[in-house]
Amino acid sequence: MDKRGEVYTLDGEYILDFTTFFIALGEAINGPGGYYGFSLDSISDCLCGGFGAMRPFTIHWQNAHYFLERYEEEWGQKETYYRFSPQQYFMDLVMILVSGGVTVNFASK
C-alpha cells in the first residue's frame, strides 16, 4: 500500500553513482532490497503509485556533494554511454522528483 507524506533519508556519502542512488531510494522507501525505479523514466512511473510511496513525500538527501564529487571523478576516468553529463542527469532527476510532487531537501553533516 502506498504511503503519502513520509520523509525518506538518503546519505550521499554511501551513494556512488546513479545505480546506487536508485538502490538507496528503493531501500529507504520499501526496506532492504526494495525497488523505487532504476532510471529517469522509471522514477516517473513510480511516482504515479503502486511502488510503496506516492506523492507528496519528502526526500532528505544528506551529503549529496560527496556523491556528485565522486561521480564526476569516475565519469571523467572511463568511457560512458550516457548522453548527459552527471550534472545534467542529477538536475533532470531532481526536476522529475520535484515536478512529481516530491520535496527534496539537501543537507550536509
Side-chain angles (χ1 to χ4, degrees):
M1 197 163 171
D2 288 335
K3 297 172 267 178
R4 293 178 187 257
E6 298 288 318
V7 176
Y8 304 101
T9 301
L10 304 176
D11 191 340
E13 191 170 355
Y14 304 107
I15 299 172
L16 306 175
D17 54 22
F18 290 108
T19 300
T20 54
F21 165 81
F22 286 107
I23 291 168
L25 181 62
E27 290 188 347
I29 292 173
N30 293 307
Y35 173 85
Y36 203 82
F38 65 90
S39 68
L40 296 179
D41 291 333
S42 65
I43 195 112
S44 294
D45 293 341
C46 289
L47 290 170
C48 293
F51 293 93
M54 196 164 168
R55 56 187 159 202
F57 63 89
T58 300
I59 295 173
H60 187 67
W61 193 342
Q62 299 173 339
N63 302 311
H65 63 283
Y66 288 129
F67 157 69
L68 286 171
E69 289 169 6
R70 278 195 307 269
Y71 199 52
E72 286 174 10
E73 288 174 15
E74 181 182 319
W75 189 276
Q77 293 175 2
K78 65 179 184 177
E79 291 185 36
T80 62
Y81 59 89
Y82 298 112
R83 296 170 285 163
F84 307 108
S85 69
Q87 300 88 350
Q88 184 62 51
Y89 194 95
F90 179 81
M91 293 304 297
D92 290 349
L93 172 64
V94 172
M95 183 179 300
I96 288 168
L97 290 168
V98 171
S99 66
V102 178
T103 300
V104 182
N105 297 322
F106 296 99
S108 295
K109 285 187 194 176

